[in-house]
Amino acid sequence: MSTGTSELSAHAAGVDITGLRKSYGSNEVLKGIDLNVAPGEVVCLIGPSGSGKSTLLRCVNLLEQPNGGTIMVGGFNVTDPEVNLDKMRQQVGMVFQQFNLFPHLTVLENCTISPIKVLKRKKAEAQKVALRNLERVGLGDFGDRYPDQLSGGQQQRVAIARALSMEPTLMLFDEPTSALDPETVGEVLSIMKNLAQAGMTMLVVTHEMAFAKEVADRVFFMDGGVVVEEGKAVDVIGNPQQPRTQDFLRRVLDPTHVDI
């Protein structure tokens, strides 16, 4: 679990979600979610597909517009119509299922384009930060390569370095290993584990139960747009109390089991 006490923790942004609702037409995907992430904490969201996990994550930085409730990220009320969205998003890094790298840019250029254009950094400064983060994800010598010259796991590690190069205080991960070959999943999870140990605040949607149990401080199990169970990772995954959580974990952890 995350026990990092580095300089990251001192400047981390927490998340406070109260009564979050999101609908698409008559389909209510989030039904009044209450959730918080303390600065420096790692929280994992688990649950079946369609339970609202990714939608919740996307609401945190307004990639999806909530229909109700409040979201606080650091000192920003994300759901306030007057919020300075650009300033808020500078605190928040997000890594998606797909890598979304610019194919015509090198690895280094992918990691510097936003700091230069959004943060108005000098090119040399942006490159220095980007190279440091590429080293951090084990790709320090890959700066001049293009995305199509990389494996899926390497591309996702570049995506993490790109997010880190904006120097966020909160990282959102939306099933970052779901598009990867099984052999490359571990290298991405290792990077995320290192970030957690360094004190980065993280909100992670994942199906990797071993990762969640080892790295997360708390786990929220979602189903049908509500939080069914939450608590310490070792308790929710190792000894779930709710029947729906028990059923889900039995199917995930023992996928060959069939009820007759």
Side-chain angles (χ1 to χ4, degrees), residues 51-241:
S51 59
K53 307 181 303 296
S54 293
T55 300
L56 185 155
L57 208 67
R58 292 171 67 86
C59 284
V60 171
N61 62 356
L62 286 192
L63 293 177
E64 297 284 355
Q65 184 69 49
N67 297 113
T70 59
I71 303 172
M72 299 292 298
V73 176
F76 294 92
N77 182 349
V78 175
T79 44
D80 183 347
E82 303 299 319
V83 67
N84 187 328
L85 201 53
D86 290 336
K87 285 287 187 183
M88 184 278 294
R89 283 180 173 158
Q90 289 176 22
Q91 289 195 19
V92 183
M94 187 160 183
V95 178
F96 300 87
Q97 297 177 33
Q98 302 299 326
F99 322 125
N100 298 327
L101 300 177
F102 293 111
H104 63 291
L105 299 181
T106 66
V107 165
L108 185 59
E109 289 168 340
N110 265 283
C111 293
T112 57
I113 185 170
S114 290
I116 290 171
K117 291 184 176 294
V118 177
L119 301 181
K120 308 301 181 185
R121 285 195 173 141
K122 300 290 187 182
K123 183 177 179 180
E125 181 187 1
Q127 288 181 338
K128 181 179 179 180
V129 173
L131 287 169
R132 183 170 69 240
N133 285 309
L134 287 170
E135 289 281 357
R136 197 172 182 181
V137 301
L139 296 174
D141 296 328
F142 285 62
D144 60 351
R145 298 196 189 185
Y146 287 87
D148 65 1
Q149 297 174 306
L150 306 178
S151 69
Q154 289 169 336
Q155 289 188 60
Q156 191 63 297
R157 285 151 65 190
V158 172
I160 294 173
R162 177 182 59 184
L164 291 173
S165 293
M166 290 292 286
E167 299 189 317
T169 55
L170 166 69
M171 286 286 286
L172 308 176
F173 291 88
D174 186 8
E175 297 189 32
T177 61
S178 65
L180 300 181
D181 183 284
E183 290 185 339
T184 63
V185 167
E187 62 191 46
V188 172
L189 294 179
S190 177
I191 300 301
M192 295 170 63
K193 181 179 177 180
N194 290 341
L195 284 176
Q197 291 173 339
M200 176 65 77
T201 312
M202 296 164 59
L203 182 56
V204 183
V205 173
T206 185
H207 289 297
E208 303 289 344
M209 295 301 118
F211 170 83
K213 188 174 182 180
E214 179 182 1
V215 177
D217 296 292
R218 288 182 298 136
V219 167
F220 285 70
F221 171 70
M222 293 179 61
D223 189 32
V226 300
V227 174
V228 176
E229 186 167 354
E230 64 97 2
K232 292 181 179 179
V234 66
D235 294 329
V236 174
I237 297 175
N239 185 30
Q241 300 301 302

